[in-house]
Amino acid sequence: MFLRKSALYSVGSNAFQFGVQFIASVIVARLLMPDEMGVFTIAIAAYGLLFAFQNIGLVQYVTNHDDMSPRRLGGAMAMSAAQGVLLALVLILVAWGLSVFMEDPRIFNAVAILALVALLLPTEHIPMGLLQREMRFDHIAIVLIARTLANTSVTVAGAYFGLSYASMAWGALAGSLVGGVIGVVLCAQKMRVRPNTQHWREIGGFGLSMLSFTSITNIASRSSVVVLGKVADITSVGHFGRATGITDMVQFGLIEPLGRLVLPSLANARRADGGMGDMYRRAASVLTIVSWPAFAGLAVLSHPLIAFIYGERWLPAAPALIWLCIARIFVEMATCPVEVSVASNQMPRLTRLAIVKSGIGFAAFSIGASFGLVWAAFGRTVEALAGAVLYLPFMLRATELKWGALLSVWRTSAIATAAAIGPAFFWMASKGWPDTLPILEMAGVIVLGVICWIAALAAVRHEIWVQICRGSQFLLTKARARG
């Protein structure tokens, strides 16, 4: 019951955020030109690249540690504050260098605004870690919804009133400020601690493991966006950013809220009896049967969806979107590698695998970028497949889950995926794979696909279907009792 309610809060809040961000992205895409979107995409890539070197996993540390005493929490707070200040200073320097390298002064302005976001890191890391540790996903929902509303409101208003690419940077700052304030208020009682340097070796050791992984995995993906802008042009970066943004919205709206439950669930299972195999199997079962149909369906309808959502001028992003969706399917085959590594205290082993995976990914993307946008996106697919091949054996050993159990999960998810995308696939094929579809036709195949997916869940008696039935029965019982 508790996990079901937590999942409902998490999925519900992200669904709301997804809707708000979707509407905002449509408005912004029609107000800004592709080159303006490209400027902000490069600025975000620079921010993410530097954040990869600063991310010491404080959210995961607070969530996973067995004993989060006030002194240890104060140490984590001090580390987060130092991290934010250092990141802000370095971002200013990088903003100048990147604007000179790309020969576009607009990049400096966008990155400089994002430097202010870095100063708010303690108000994001510590409250989020505490709320996840206690699985208070109702409060997490409040923080995330408020952050999204502030971000999108400022972004849309800025784009409308002529702030151009900078509107999205100011929106990110507004969202971090509002979300941070609310998070601190919700955790005010536990955050009344004094920042200190105690436990810095322990926190630093954990942070070094996380830092090694995140820096390696992010440096390739973030810097490759800059490579695309230099080898191709800013417009290609804008198209790639729009395609990536669509997959990110699906990831954010459907996959991330469920994945947010994985680390605290694995940590609780480890504390209880030391075994994580069954919990990981359940997590992989839920995440793949949700993510695979979503990304496969998005790939089938990529052209009509982009034309409808953003306008036909963004259609060059559609072929890239197909390959990015395939990449996400491969990513979800190796479900939640970081969460498994943190819960099992094996981050160094995952980091060694990430070095190989990121090297393959950066090479594939860079080579692909020299041939164009679509080949660059294909490089992302190569990286995702390499990650699945490298990570899966390690993760199964860490959780003590057998290959047979995972293959059974994949088989069930593949059946549900085929059922979900069947209507859209056959309809698009019968139409000759057009770039556009009437809205009623597109909505019809999507709704029919969802119905077929639910029917597949019922046919295989998947855990999601079982939980839906139990939740419905619980609500019906309560309604009868009140009546």
Side-chain angles (χ1 to χ4, degrees):
M1 174 66 71
F2 180 74
L3 281 175
R4 183 163 63 239
K5 292 177 69 175
S6 297
L8 287 175
Y9 278 123
S10 189
V11 172
S13 66
N14 274 51
F16 177 82
Q17 294 172 78
F18 173 80
V20 173
Q21 290 181 337
F22 174 79
I23 294 172
S25 66
V26 172
I27 297 173
V28 171
R30 295 181 182 274
L31 290 174
L32 302 183
M33 298 300 293
D35 73 308
E36 295 176 297
M37 293 291 299
V39 170
F40 183 71
T41 300
I42 291 178
I44 282 292
Y47 178 83
L49 179 61
L50 283 206
F51 185 73
F53 288 102
Q54 297 292 321
N55 183 12
I56 57 177
L58 289 173
V59 174
Q60 293 86 347
Y61 177 81
V62 174
T63 300
N64 185 65
H65 201 280
D66 292 340
D67 177 26
M68 189 50 56
S69 65
R71 293 292 295 175
R72 183 173 280 108
L73 185 62
M77 188 179 297
M79 293 283 283
S80 181
Q83 169 191 357
V85 172
L86 181 60
L87 177 59
L89 293 175
V90 176
L91 270 173
I92 296 297
L93 296 177
V94 169
W96 174 80
L98 195 58
S99 64
V100 173
F101 176 74
M102 298 298 298
E103 300 178 353
D104 193 330
R106 297 176 298 176
I107 296 175
F108 176 84
N109 299 328
V111 179
I113 296 170
L114 292 175
L116 299 176
V117 178
L119 297 176
L120 301 174
L121 289 180
T123 64
E124 297 185 28
H125 286 165
I126 306 304
M128 192 59 64
L130 289 172
L131 294 174
Q132 284 189 176
R133 179 183 181 85
E134 300 174 2
M135 299 193 74
R136 293 160 58 189
F137 289 95
D138 51 344
H139 289 174
I140 291 176
I142 294 173
V143 174
L144 295 180
I145 289 174
R147 180 189 300 172
T148 299
L149 289 174
N151 187 332
T152 54
S153 298
V154 172
T155 297
V156 171
Y160 181 79
F161 288 107
L163 290 182
S164 185
Y165 59 90
S167 60
M168 291 175 282
W170 285 115
L173 178 59
S176 294
L177 181 61
V178 171
V181 170
I182 295 177
V184 170
V185 171
L186 291 174
C187 299
Q189 188 67 30
K190 290 197 172 183
M191 289 189 67
R192 291 177 182 174
V193 296
R194 180 177 300 177
N196 60 80
T197 57
Q198 193 172 347
H199 302 293
W200 70 270
R201 291 182 184 274
E202 177 187 297
I203 299 172
F206 179 86
L208 183 60
S209 298
M210 285 294 300
L211 177 61
S212 300
F213 175 82
T214 55
S215 60
I216 289 168
T217 54
N218 281 289
I219 188 172
S221 60
R222 300 291 185 175
S223 59
S224 60
V225 175
V226 179
V227 171
L228 179 62
K230 192 65 176 178
V231 173
D233 50 43
I234 294 293
T235 299
S236 294
V237 176
H239 286 134
F240 184 80
R242 182 51 60 202
T244 303
I246 293 178
T247 58
D248 285 344
M249 283 192 293
V250 175
Q251 181 80 18
F252 175 81
L254 293 176
I255 316 306
E256 182 181 304
L258 296 173
R260 197 178 295 136
L261 279 68
V262 174
L263 177 56
S265 297
L266 290 176
N268 289 337
R270 187 203 69 231
R271 296 185 191 113
D273 56 17
M276 299 188 296
D278 183 63
M279 183 59 71
Y280 181 70
R281 179 194 59 79
R282 295 171 63 188
S285 176
V286 170
L287 287 171
T288 54
I289 210 166
V290 171
S291 63
W292 288 8
F295 288 121
L298 184 58
V300 171
L301 294 172
S302 58
H303 285 75
L305 281 173
I306 284 184
F308 171 71
I309 296 171
Y310 301 122
E312 294 187 25
R313 68 178 179 179
W314 290 96
L315 277 174
L321 176 59
I322 295 173
W323 285 113
L324 292 178
C325 289
I326 297 173
R328 295 291 182 126
I329 291 174
F330 286 138
V331 167
E332 292 304 324
M333 290 180 69
T335 308
C336 301
V338 175
E339 287 78 3
V340 169
S341 303
V342 171
S344 61
N345 298 313
Q346 297 189 59
M347 277 302 301
R349 296 186 63 183
L350 183 66
T351 301
R352 290 192 291 270
L353 297 174
I355 294 173
V356 181
K357 175 249 187 185
S358 298
I360 294 172
F362 183 76
F365 187 92
S366 299
I367 294 172
S370 64
F371 292 97
L373 174 64
V374 177
W375 283 101
F378 176 74
R380 281 283 192 265
T381 306
V382 173
E383 179 182 9
L385 178 59
V389 172
L390 290 167
Y391 290 166
L392 278 169
F394 156 72
M395 296 168 67
L396 291 178
R397 287 194 299 269
T399 59
E400 299 182 351
L401 185 67
K402 303 299 183 182
W403 272 106
L406 187 60
L407 290 174
S408 178
V409 167
W410 290 351
R411 181 172 60 251
T412 302
S413 297
I415 292 172
T417 300
I421 70 171
F425 182 88
F426 288 113
W427 188 259
M428 288 290 291
S430 68
K431 293 284 188 176
W433 299 97
D435 286 339
T436 60
L437 274 180
I439 180 59
L440 291 180
E441 291 184 14
M442 189 160 52
V445 296
I446 291 175
V447 171
L448 186 56
V450 172
I451 293 173
C452 291
W453 177 73
I454 294 174
L457 294 182
V460 300
R461 297 294 297 172
H462 191 270
E463 182 170 351
I464 293 179
W465 175 256
V466 173
Q467 293 299 326
I468 290 174
C469 292
R470 289 177 179 174
S472 301
Q473 184 64 38
F474 175 75
L475 294 176
L476 183 60
T477 302
K478 289 187 66 176
R480 288 175 177 173
R482 291 177 180 175

PDB file of all heavy atoms in Angstrom, residues 277-307:
ATOM      1  N   GLY A 277      17.602  -8.887  -4.936  1.00  0.00           N
ATOM      2  CA  GLY A 277      17.237  -9.498  -6.208  1.00  0.00           C
ATOM      3  C   GLY A 277      15.772  -9.342  -6.557  1.00  0.00           C
ATOM      4  O   GLY A 277      15.426  -8.932  -7.672  1.00  0.00           O
ATOM      5  N   ASP A 278      14.891  -9.669  -5.627  1.00  0.00           N
ATOM      6  CA  ASP A 278      13.459  -9.601  -5.922  1.00  0.00           C
ATOM      7  C   ASP A 278      13.006  -8.168  -6.142  1.00  0.00           C
ATOM      8  O   ASP A 278      12.211  -7.895  -7.041  1.00  0.00           O
ATOM      9  CB  ASP A 278      12.661 -10.231  -4.776  1.00  0.00           C
ATOM     10  CG  ASP A 278      11.166 -10.250  -5.060  1.00  0.00           C
ATOM     11  OD1 ASP A 278      10.756 -10.920  -6.034  1.00  0.00           O
ATOM     12  OD2 ASP A 278      10.414  -9.580  -4.333  1.00  0.00           O
ATOM     13  N   MET A 279      13.513  -7.234  -5.324  1.00  0.00           N
ATOM     14  CA  MET A 279      13.136  -5.830  -5.491  1.00  0.00           C
ATOM     15  C   MET A 279      13.620  -5.292  -6.833  1.00  0.00           C
ATOM     16  O   MET A 279      12.908  -4.546  -7.515  1.00  0.00           O
ATOM     17  CB  MET A 279      13.705  -5.006  -4.346  1.00  0.00           C
ATOM     18  CG  MET A 279      13.317  -3.529  -4.381  1.00  0.00           C
ATOM     19  SD  MET A 279      11.523  -3.269  -4.318  1.00  0.00           S
ATOM     20  CE  MET A 279      11.195  -3.736  -2.612  1.00  0.00           C
ATOM     21  N   TYR A 280      14.841  -5.690  -7.250  1.00  0.00           N
ATOM     22  CA  TYR A 280      15.351  -5.220  -8.530  1.00  0.00           C
ATOM     23  C   TYR A 280      14.548  -5.820  -9.690  1.00  0.00           C
ATOM     24  O   TYR A 280      14.278  -5.141 -10.679  1.00  0.00           O
ATOM     25  CB  TYR A 280      16.821  -5.582  -8.697  1.00  0.00           C
ATOM     26  CG  TYR A 280      17.389  -5.089 -10.005  1.00  0.00           C
ATOM     27  CD1 TYR A 280      17.589  -3.723 -10.223  1.00  0.00           C
ATOM     28  CD2 TYR A 280      17.675  -5.970 -11.042  1.00  0.00           C
ATOM     29  CE1 TYR A 280      18.071  -3.257 -11.433  1.00  0.00           C
ATOM     30  CE2 TYR A 280      18.160  -5.513 -12.247  1.00  0.00           C
ATOM     31  CZ  TYR A 280      18.358  -4.156 -12.442  1.00  0.00           C
ATOM     32  OH  TYR A 280      18.829  -3.706 -13.644  1.00  0.00           O
ATOM     33  N   ARG A 281      14.165  -7.100  -9.583  1.00  0.00           N
ATOM     34  CA  ARG A 281      13.358  -7.714 -10.628  1.00  0.00           C
ATOM     35  C   ARG A 281      12.037  -6.962 -10.794  1.00  0.00           C
ATOM     36  O   ARG A 281      11.596  -6.700 -11.919  1.00  0.00           O
ATOM     37  CB  ARG A 281      13.090  -9.184 -10.279  1.00  0.00           C
ATOM     38  CG  ARG A 281      12.219  -9.909 -11.313  1.00  0.00           C
ATOM     39  CD  ARG A 281      11.709 -11.225 -10.763  1.00  0.00           C
ATOM     40  NE  ARG A 281      10.917 -11.026  -9.551  1.00  0.00           N
ATOM     41  CZ  ARG A 281       9.657 -10.625  -9.540  1.00  0.00           C
ATOM     42  NH1 ARG A 281       9.033 -10.332 -10.678  1.00  0.00           N
ATOM     43  NH2 ARG A 281       9.006 -10.480  -8.393  1.00  0.00           N
ATOM     44  N   ARG A 282      11.423  -6.593  -9.669  1.00  0.00           N
ATOM     45  CA  ARG A 282      10.164  -5.857  -9.730  1.00  0.00           C
ATOM     46  C   ARG A 282      10.371  -4.477 -10.362  1.00  0.00           C
ATOM     47  O   ARG A 282       9.550  -4.021 -11.167  1.00  0.00           O
ATOM     48  CB  ARG A 282       9.581  -5.720  -8.333  1.00  0.00           C
ATOM     49  CG  ARG A 282       9.164  -7.047  -7.706  1.00  0.00           C
ATOM     50  CD  ARG A 282       8.788  -6.884  -6.252  1.00  0.00           C
ATOM     51  NE  ARG A 282       7.624  -6.016  -6.094  1.00  0.00           N
ATOM     52  CZ  ARG A 282       7.178  -5.588  -4.916  1.00  0.00           C
ATOM     53  NH1 ARG A 282       7.814  -5.940  -3.798  1.00  0.00           N
ATOM     54  NH2 ARG A 282       6.111  -4.815  -4.857  1.00  0.00           N
ATOM     55  N   ALA A 283      11.478  -3.833  -9.999  1.00  0.00           N
ATOM     56  CA  ALA A 283      11.759  -2.513 -10.570  1.00  0.00           C
ATOM     57  C   ALA A 283      11.981  -2.607 -12.072  1.00  0.00           C
ATOM     58  O   ALA A 283      11.440  -1.801 -12.855  1.00  0.00           O
ATOM     59  CB  ALA A 283      12.983  -1.901  -9.895  1.00  0.00           C
ATOM     60  N   ALA A 284      12.775  -3.591 -12.508  1.00  0.00           N
ATOM     61  CA  ALA A 284      13.025  -3.757 -13.937  1.00  0.00           C
ATOM     62  C   ALA A 284      11.746  -4.103 -14.687  1.00  0.00           C
ATOM     63  O   ALA A 284      11.519  -3.629 -15.805  1.00  0.00           O
ATOM     64  CB  ALA A 284      14.074  -4.850 -14.153  1.00  0.00           C
ATOM     65  N   SER A 285      10.894  -4.907 -14.066  1.00  0.00           N
ATOM     66  CA  SER A 285       9.639  -5.287 -14.697  1.00  0.00           C
ATOM     67  C   SER A 285       8.745  -4.081 -14.937  1.00  0.00           C
ATOM     68  O   SER A 285       8.173  -3.911 -16.027  1.00  0.00           O
ATOM     69  CB  SER A 285       8.921  -6.322 -13.817  1.00  0.00           C
ATOM     70  OG  SER A 285       7.666  -6.650 -14.359  1.00  0.00           O
ATOM     71  N   VAL A 286       8.634  -3.223 -13.942  1.00  0.00           N
ATOM     72  CA  VAL A 286       7.763  -2.052 -14.069  1.00  0.00           C
ATOM     73  C   VAL A 286       8.349  -1.042 -15.053  1.00  0.00           C
ATOM     74  O   VAL A 286       7.649  -0.518 -15.934  1.00  0.00           O
ATOM     75  CB  VAL A 286       7.544  -1.397 -12.687  1.00  0.00           C
ATOM     76  CG1 VAL A 286       6.841  -0.055 -12.830  1.00  0.00           C
ATOM     77  CG2 VAL A 286       6.732  -2.324 -11.782  1.00  0.00           C
ATOM     78  N   LEU A 287       9.641  -0.758 -14.939  1.00  0.00           N
ATOM     79  CA  LEU A 287      10.242   0.293 -15.752  1.00  0.00           C
ATOM     80  C   LEU A 287      10.314  -0.087 -17.226  1.00  0.00           C
ATOM     81  O   LEU A 287      10.095   0.755 -18.098  1.00  0.00           O
ATOM     82  CB  LEU A 287      11.622   0.636 -15.212  1.00  0.00           C
ATOM     83  CG  LEU A 287      11.609   1.419 -13.890  1.00  0.00           C
ATOM     84  CD1 LEU A 287      13.005   1.522 -13.297  1.00  0.00           C
ATOM     85  CD2 LEU A 287      11.028   2.813 -14.095  1.00  0.00           C
ATOM     86  N   THR A 288      10.627  -1.345 -17.538  1.00  0.00           N
ATOM     87  CA  THR A 288      10.713  -1.721 -18.950  1.00  0.00           C
ATOM     88  C   THR A 288       9.335  -1.805 -19.600  1.00  0.00           C
ATOM     89  O   THR A 288       9.174  -1.421 -20.768  1.00  0.00           O
ATOM     90  CB  THR A 288      11.428  -3.070 -19.121  1.00  0.00           C
ATOM     91  OG1 THR A 288      10.802  -4.071 -18.312  1.00  0.00           O
ATOM     92  CG2 THR A 288      12.895  -2.958 -18.744  1.00  0.00           C
ATOM     93  N   ILE A 289       8.332  -2.274 -18.874  1.00  0.00           N
ATOM     94  CA  ILE A 289       7.008  -2.412 -19.484  1.00  0.00           C
ATOM     95  C   ILE A 289       6.317  -1.056 -19.653  1.00  0.00           C
ATOM     96  O   ILE A 289       5.338  -0.935 -20.391  1.00  0.00           O
ATOM     97  CB  ILE A 289       6.121  -3.371 -18.659  1.00  0.00           C
ATOM     98  CG1 ILE A 289       5.123  -4.082 -19.579  1.00  0.00           C
ATOM     99  CG2 ILE A 289       5.383  -2.636 -17.534  1.00  0.00           C
ATOM    100  CD1 ILE A 289       4.445  -5.264 -18.950  1.00  0.00           C
ATOM    101  N   VAL A 290       6.850  -0.031 -18.993  1.00  0.00           N
ATOM    102  CA  VAL A 290       6.349   1.331 -19.197  1.00  0.00           C
ATOM    103  C   VAL A 290       7.184   2.065 -20.245  1.00  0.00           C
ATOM    104  O   VAL A 290       6.647   2.722 -21.140  1.00  0.00           O
ATOM    105  CB  VAL A 290       6.353   2.111 -17.863  1.00  0.00           C
ATOM    106  CG1 VAL A 290       6.042   3.587 -18.100  1.00  0.00           C
ATOM    107  CG2 VAL A 290       5.344   1.518 -16.895  1.00  0.00           C
ATOM    108  N   SER A 291       8.509   1.952 -20.142  1.00  0.00           N
ATOM    109  CA  SER A 291       9.392   2.745 -21.005  1.00  0.00           C
ATOM    110  C   SER A 291       9.461   2.215 -22.429  1.00  0.00           C
ATOM    111  O   SER A 291       9.446   2.991 -23.390  1.00  0.00           O
ATOM    112  CB  SER A 291      10.793   2.796 -20.400  1.00  0.00           C
ATOM    113  OG  SER A 291      11.375   1.508 -20.336  1.00  0.00           O
ATOM    114  N   TRP A 292       9.545   0.908 -22.611  1.00  0.00           N
ATOM    115  CA  TRP A 292       9.671   0.373 -23.965  1.00  0.00           C
ATOM    116  C   TRP A 292       8.491   0.743 -24.862  1.00  0.00           C
ATOM    117  O   TRP A 292       8.702   1.241 -25.973  1.00  0.00           O
ATOM    118  CB  TRP A 292       9.843  -1.148 -23.915  1.00  0.00           C
ATOM    119  CG  TRP A 292      11.169  -1.612 -23.419  1.00  0.00           C
ATOM    120  CD1 TRP A 292      12.163  -0.839 -22.873  1.00  0.00           C
ATOM    121  CD2 TRP A 292      11.671  -2.957 -23.421  1.00  0.00           C
ATOM    122  NE1 TRP A 292      13.231  -1.621 -22.514  1.00  0.00           N
ATOM    123  CE2 TRP A 292      12.963  -2.922 -22.845  1.00  0.00           C
ATOM    124  CE3 TRP A 292      11.150  -4.177 -23.830  1.00  0.00           C
ATOM    125  CZ2 TRP A 292      13.731  -4.071 -22.683  1.00  0.00           C
ATOM    126  CZ3 TRP A 292      11.913  -5.321 -23.676  1.00  0.00           C
ATOM    127  CH2 TRP A 292      13.188  -5.272 -23.122  1.00  0.00           C
ATOM    128  N   PRO A 293       7.247   0.546 -24.437  1.00  0.00           N
ATOM    129  CA  PRO A 293       6.137   0.965 -25.305  1.00  0.00           C
ATOM    130  C   PRO A 293       6.109   2.469 -25.565  1.00  0.00           C
ATOM    131  O   PRO A 293       5.774   2.903 -26.675  1.00  0.00           O
ATOM    132  CB  PRO A 293       4.889   0.516 -24.523  1.00  0.00           C
ATOM    133  CG  PRO A 293       5.365  -0.566 -23.620  1.00  0.00           C
ATOM    134  CD  PRO A 293       6.754  -0.166 -23.240  1.00  0.00           C
ATOM    135  N   ALA A 294       6.464   3.258 -24.538  1.00  0.00           N
ATOM    136  CA  ALA A 294       6.423   4.712 -24.706  1.00  0.00           C
ATOM    137  C   ALA A 294       7.417   5.174 -25.760  1.00  0.00           C
ATOM    138  O   ALA A 294       7.078   5.944 -26.671  1.00  0.00           O
ATOM    139  CB  ALA A 294       6.703   5.389 -23.370  1.00  0.00           C
ATOM    140  N   PHE A 295       8.657   4.713 -25.674  1.00  0.00           N
ATOM    141  CA  PHE A 295       9.676   5.153 -26.624  1.00  0.00           C
ATOM    142  C   PHE A 295       9.481   4.518 -28.000  1.00  0.00           C
ATOM    143  O   PHE A 295       9.739   5.169 -29.025  1.00  0.00           O
ATOM    144  CB  PHE A 295      11.071   4.844 -26.083  1.00  0.00           C
ATOM    145  CG  PHE A 295      11.479   5.726 -24.944  1.00  0.00           C
ATOM    146  CD1 PHE A 295      11.797   5.198 -23.710  1.00  0.00           C
ATOM    147  CD2 PHE A 295      11.528   7.105 -25.098  1.00  0.00           C
ATOM    148  CE1 PHE A 295      12.164   6.017 -22.655  1.00  0.00           C
ATOM    149  CE2 PHE A 295      11.893   7.935 -24.054  1.00  0.00           C
ATOM    150  CZ  PHE A 295      12.210   7.390 -22.823  1.00  0.00           C
ATOM    151  N   ALA A 296       9.024   3.268 -28.039  1.00  0.00           N
ATOM    152  CA  ALA A 296       8.765   2.651 -29.333  1.00  0.00           C
ATOM    153  C   ALA A 296       7.620   3.359 -30.052  1.00  0.00           C
ATOM    154  O   ALA A 296       7.681   3.613 -31.261  1.00  0.00           O
ATOM    155  CB  ALA A 296       8.446   1.163 -29.145  1.00  0.00           C
ATOM    156  N   GLY A 297       6.573   3.692 -29.325  1.00  0.00           N
ATOM    157  CA  GLY A 297       5.466   4.424 -29.926  1.00  0.00           C
ATOM    158  C   GLY A 297       5.869   5.809 -30.398  1.00  0.00           C
ATOM    159  O   GLY A 297       5.436   6.278 -31.462  1.00  0.00           O
ATOM    160  N   LEU A 298       6.719   6.474 -29.625  1.00  0.00           N
ATOM    161  CA  LEU A 298       7.212   7.792 -30.012  1.00  0.00           C
ATOM    162  C   LEU A 298       8.033   7.711 -31.291  1.00  0.00           C
ATOM    163  O   LEU A 298       7.951   8.593 -32.152  1.00  0.00           O
ATOM    164  CB  LEU A 298       8.056   8.371 -28.870  1.00  0.00           C
ATOM    165  CG  LEU A 298       8.597   9.785 -29.047  1.00  0.00           C
ATOM    166  CD1 LEU A 298       7.466  10.772 -29.269  1.00  0.00           C
ATOM    167  CD2 LEU A 298       9.412  10.189 -27.832  1.00  0.00           C
ATOM    168  N   ALA A 299       8.811   6.635 -31.444  1.00  0.00           N
ATOM    169  CA  ALA A 299       9.597   6.460 -32.661  1.00  0.00           C
ATOM    170  C   ALA A 299       8.691   6.272 -33.876  1.00  0.00           C
ATOM    171  O   ALA A 299       8.929   6.850 -34.946  1.00  0.00           O
ATOM    172  CB  ALA A 299      10.539   5.267 -32.503  1.00  0.00           C
ATOM    173  N   VAL A 300       7.635   5.478 -33.739  1.00  0.00           N
ATOM    174  CA  VAL A 300       6.724   5.223 -34.858  1.00  0.00           C
ATOM    175  C   VAL A 300       6.024   6.498 -35.309  1.00  0.00           C
ATOM    176  O   VAL A 300       5.868   6.764 -36.503  1.00  0.00           O
ATOM    177  CB  VAL A 300       5.688   4.146 -34.461  1.00  0.00           C
ATOM    178  CG1 VAL A 300       4.607   4.020 -35.529  1.00  0.00           C
ATOM    179  CG2 VAL A 300       6.369   2.800 -34.251  1.00  0.00           C
ATOM    180  N   LEU A 301       5.638   7.328 -34.343  1.00  0.00           N
ATOM    181  CA  LEU A 301       4.886   8.558 -34.658  1.00  0.00           C
ATOM    182  C   LEU A 301       5.767   9.808 -34.634  1.00  0.00           C
ATOM    183  O   LEU A 301       5.249  10.916 -34.498  1.00  0.00           O
ATOM    184  CB  LEU A 301       3.744   8.723 -33.656  1.00  0.00           C
ATOM    185  CG  LEU A 301       2.635   7.675 -33.718  1.00  0.00           C
ATOM    186  CD1 LEU A 301       1.668   7.850 -32.549  1.00  0.00           C
ATOM    187  CD2 LEU A 301       1.886   7.756 -35.045  1.00  0.00           C
ATOM    188  N   SER A 302       7.075   9.648 -34.790  1.00  0.00           N
ATOM    189  CA  SER A 302       8.004  10.767 -34.609  1.00  0.00           C
ATOM    190  C   SER A 302       7.706  11.941 -35.548  1.00  0.00           C
ATOM    191  O   SER A 302       7.648  13.098 -35.102  1.00  0.00           O
ATOM    192  CB  SER A 302       9.446  10.287 -34.817  1.00  0.00           C
ATOM    193  OG  SER A 302       9.602   9.725 -36.118  1.00  0.00           O
ATOM    194  N   HIS A 303       7.502  11.682 -36.824  1.00  0.00           N
ATOM    195  CA  HIS A 303       7.267  12.772 -37.778  1.00  0.00           C
ATOM    196  C   HIS A 303       5.948  13.504 -37.506  1.00  0.00           C
ATOM    197  O   HIS A 303       5.946  14.747 -37.368  1.00  0.00           O
ATOM    198  CB  HIS A 303       7.304  12.237 -39.209  1.00  0.00           C
ATOM    199  CG  HIS A 303       8.676  11.927 -39.709  1.00  0.00           C
ATOM    200  ND1 HIS A 303       9.385  10.808 -39.312  1.00  0.00           N
ATOM    201  CD2 HIS A 303       9.479  12.591 -40.586  1.00  0.00           C
ATOM    202  CE1 HIS A 303      10.559  10.793 -39.915  1.00  0.00           C
ATOM    203  NE2 HIS A 303      10.645  11.856 -40.689  1.00  0.00           N
ATOM    204  N   PRO A 304       4.813  12.797 -37.429  1.00  0.00           N
ATOM    205  CA  PRO A 304       3.560  13.522 -37.162  1.00  0.00           C
ATOM    206  C   PRO A 304       3.556  14.246 -35.824  1.00  0.00           C
ATOM    207  O   PRO A 304       2.995  15.348 -35.724  1.00  0.00           O
ATOM    208  CB  PRO A 304       2.509  12.405 -37.183  1.00  0.00           C
ATOM    209  CG  PRO A 304       3.105  11.310 -37.988  1.00  0.00           C
ATOM    210  CD  PRO A 304       4.564  11.361 -37.699  1.00  0.00           C
ATOM    211  N   LEU A 305       4.178  13.659 -34.806  1.00  0.00           N
ATOM    212  CA  LEU A 305       4.182  14.305 -33.502  1.00  0.00           C
ATOM    213  C   LEU A 305       4.988  15.598 -33.513  1.00  0.00           C
ATOM    214  O   LEU A 305       4.545  16.619 -32.982  1.00  0.00           O
ATOM    215  CB  LEU A 305       4.741  13.350 -32.447  1.00  0.00           C
ATOM    216  CG  LEU A 305       3.774  12.277 -31.932  1.00  0.00           C
ATOM    217  CD1 LEU A 305       4.500  11.306 -31.024  1.00  0.00           C
ATOM    218  CD2 LEU A 305       2.602  12.921 -31.194  1.00  0.00           C
ATOM    219  N   ILE A 306       6.169  15.569 -34.122  1.00  0.00           N
ATOM    220  CA  ILE A 306       6.978  16.786 -34.181  1.00  0.00           C
ATOM    221  C   ILE A 306       6.285  17.855 -35.014  1.00  0.00           C
ATOM    222  O   ILE A 306       6.264  19.046 -34.643  1.00  0.00           O
ATOM    223  CB  ILE A 306       8.379  16.476 -34.749  1.00  0.00           C
ATOM    224  CG1 ILE A 306       9.220  15.776 -33.675  1.00  0.00           C
ATOM    225  CG2 ILE A 306       9.077  17.743 -35.226  1.00  0.00           C
ATOM    226  CD1 ILE A 306      10.642  15.496 -34.085  1.00  0.00           C
ATOM    227  N   ALA A 307       5.700  17.465 -36.135  1.00  0.00           N
ATOM    228  CA  ALA A 307       5.001  18.439 -36.981  1.00  0.00           C
ATOM    229  C   ALA A 307       3.827  19.058 -36.241  1.00  0.00           C
ATOM    230  O   ALA A 307       3.578  20.277 -36.355  1.00  0.00           O
ATOM    231  CB  ALA A 307       4.529  17.772 -38.265  1.00  0.00           C
TER     232      ALA A 307
END
